[in-house]
Amino acid sequence: MCGVVGYTGRNQAVDWLLDGLATLEYRGYDSAGVQVVSSSGNLHGVKCAGRVATLRERAAVANLNGTCGIGHTRWATHGAPTDRNAHPHLDGTGRIAVVHNGIIENYQELRRELMAAGHEFLSETDTEVIPHLIQEAWNGPAKGDLARAVRYACDRLEGAWALAVVCSEVPGQMVVTRNGSPLVVTSTEDGAYAASDVMPLASVATQVTQLEDNDIATLSPDGSIQIVDRNGAPVANPATLTIDWDASAARLGGYSDFMAKEISEQPEAIERLLKDRLGEHGIELDELSLTKAELAAVDRIVIIACGTSYHVGLIAKAAIERWARIPVAVEFASEFNYDENYLVTDHTMCVVITQSGETADTLTAARRMRGMGCTVFAITNVLGSTAARESDGTLYIQAGPEVAVASTKAYTAQIVASFLLALRLGLANGTLAREEVERHFADLERIPDLMREVLARRWQDKQAARLFQGKHSSLFLGRNVNSTTAYEGALKLKEISYLHAEAYPAGEMKHGPIALIEGGFPVVAIVPADHVHDKTVSNIEECLARGAVVIGVATDGDEKVAKLCSQVLWVPQCPDELVVPVVAILHLQMLARYVSRDRGYDVDKPRNLAKSVTVE
Ligand code: F6R
């Protein structure tokens, strides 16, 4: 979950390290640190609990001088977010500094062994064993060769890691490696760079190199990068990635926060995703890498995801079952991984949905499905992410970098991507005729404009946010595909406003959650003009009878709902019931943002969370 950066070259390192960390902060932001090596071989660093902004202030005072350095932004796993537990961590001699993303599972055993050999530890982290192991190897079998010392240390580790290491004995040299946690490097005229992902590198390069597990790269100030594999053999053609978005895409560009920016980018994201997808052969999804016959043979689909992406899976299920008539199961990756009796057929297809492409539970699940003989298809936003690299086919949603921790544009783009998959499957197995696919596709093409209309109505969400003032709990209700809209709306509210929000299928409410309702209790009811409209209206009445304040999400012109609700978040008429969740959710994203802002919180960086959940 943490972010790692490294630079060696002709410029002072600290400025880029701090800027790089700021772009990686979405991965974790409870503490941060940098360490630079001066040309005369002195290590200087600062680290502190808190955000990169605090680190920047400390670094300015410390006047860190050096053209080679590493940096880290942390999401605590082992040890509280304190100055002491912040990275970088040093070896016992103060010559070797390490930053780490991942978890060292056998650190307690290693720590005991190192302590018995006289090593002293200053932090409670799992990471700190690594510089001490490197120190042992440096003085012993690696004989002053940093890359070899890192290899020796890694051979003792169990778990996951992306590491960047510098040593005052070899100023200017930086060694990076990975196992299970992502790491990319790039070479420029100004020097060589390393980072957990492409975000910080977009400001300096358009092409980056992806390290494979156990590759070790040595970066030098002239920009050269030597990569060797686990056997020490040079890697001749490492995988490269072209960054296809401008660095400005990851900047605020006039918005007050990234969540506001990303909510407003949704219409364009959907337009990009749909562009050129309707072609001569129906839905063009070459990424699927399955022949029409293979697609037609698919008899079961298992969708695996976490969090917001899991909610995408629930709507994808509705679309696939309706348009392709294939039974779909949607699983939480963290649950699936420990279900020993999971059943698949010979023609089961697995779809993993993961914005970041790095969610540890989802990756484990995808590997397990492959092991069971299933074709694995990924829907993701991040180019070259592990999910993409390990899958048989990948559909990139092309939503551009999503920086705010709460997912918004990736949610709607992933839903539309799953609709394309559903149409493709329906066409392949003959459930849908070409004309039907064209009609459904035309409905999808209307989504961007429908979204624009909702965005223009954000004042309704601002007003509705006031109804949450002084409240501690709330209930979100919806039926059918919009029970998922209720889940997703409640998740958004919980994660950024820290207000309890229970989401339920509206008809289930009377089997328990209705007990929550008392005078003034806020209920958000998603009640569009669909085949379950009147049933949901009855549920609204039941809430009102118990004193609830109801906020309705309803279709333009619905006077019945207008009369019942304290505030209505109006949604324009949608051409298909499946389109509604993609459009209506924009109101609930904006509602959550306004509630969070009213409470004075940082909407982009909610407490306890990180965007890329790379630990189980
Ligand atoms: C909520 C949110 C998370 C993620 C979840 C999975 O706003 O963003 O619930 O959806 O952590 O992440 P990905 O999609 O990267 O696998």
Side-chain angles (χ1 to χ4, degrees), residues 81-100:
T82 59
D83 288 2
R84 195 175 265 239
N85 289 331
H87 299 211
H89 291 286
L90 303 186
D91 73 319
T93 65
R95 288 176 301 173
I96 296 161
V98 172
V99 287
H100 165 222

Side-chain angles (χ1 to χ4, degrees), residues 333-558:
S334 54
E335 286 295 307
F336 166 82
N337 289 336
Y338 298 98
D339 180 348
E340 286 167 5
N341 299 310
Y342 207 81
L343 297 178
V344 293
T345 61
D346 286 349
H347 297 287
T348 295
M349 176 182 186
C350 170
V351 180
V352 291
I353 305 177
T354 167
Q355 184 280 136
S356 63
E358 301 294 349
T359 300
D361 286 325
T362 307
L363 295 177
T364 305
R367 287 170 195 142
R368 190 168 166 228
M369 281 305 254
R370 267 175 82 86
M372 288 159 105
C374 299
T375 300
V376 177
F377 182 64
I379 295 179
T380 186
N381 193 26
V382 179
L383 212 64
S385 55
T386 308
R389 288 160 47 162
E390 294 187 0
S391 297
D392 298 298
T394 302
L395 176 50
Y396 286 111
I397 58 170
Q398 304 169 60
E402 195 180 61
V403 178
V405 164
S407 184
T408 53
K409 61 177 177 175
Y411 175 67
T412 47
Q414 287 179 146
I415 295 176
V416 174
S418 76
F419 287 172
L420 293 176
L421 175 64
L423 293 176
R424 181 75 188 89
L425 286 163
L427 197 61
N429 68 17
T431 313
L432 290 178
R434 164 90 200 200
E435 308 75 61
E436 289 173 290
V437 168
E438 281 173 11
R439 191 162 43 78
H440 292 310
F441 190 83
D443 291 344
L444 301 187
E445 285 186 311
R446 291 192 50 204
I447 291 175
D449 282 341
L450 293 166
M451 284 176 156
R452 286 185 184 103
E453 281 201 48
V454 172
L455 289 172
R457 300 172 185 194
R458 58 169 65 87
W459 59 271
Q460 295 165 1
D461 310 306
K462 195 168 189 176
Q463 273 183 3
R466 296 199 192 117
L467 299 171
F468 288 85
Q469 274 167 14
K471 307 294 179 197
H472 303 289
S473 185
S474 58
L475 189 58
F476 281 63
L477 302 174
R479 280 175 182 259
N480 211 253
V481 278
N482 287 304
S483 57
T484 303
T485 309
Y487 300 149
E488 177 59 10
L491 177 62
K492 289 290 92 98
L493 190 69
K494 274 185 274 211
E495 65 180 328
I496 62 170
S497 72
Y498 320 147
L499 180 81
H500 174 248
E502 182 92 21
Y504 249 77
E508 274 294 295
M509 176 188 69
K510 54 187 161 302
H511 300 288
I514 198 166
L516 288 169
I517 299 177
E518 55 184 352
F521 186 90
V523 172
V524 178
I526 298 102
V527 55
D530 60 13
H531 73 285
V532 283
H533 172 269
D534 292 353
K535 298 276 174 212
T536 315
V537 169
S538 303
N539 300 126
I540 293 178
E541 301 267 19
E542 289 160 5
C543 295
L544 289 170
R546 286 155 184 88
V549 170
V550 180
I551 298 162
V553 181
T555 307
D556 283 352
D558 189 336

Side-chain angles (χ1 to χ4, degrees), residues 68-86:
C68 174
I70 54 179
H72 190 265
T73 178
R74 179 168 186 247
W75 186 85
T77 56
H78 296 68
T82 59
D83 288 2
R84 195 175 265 239
N85 289 331

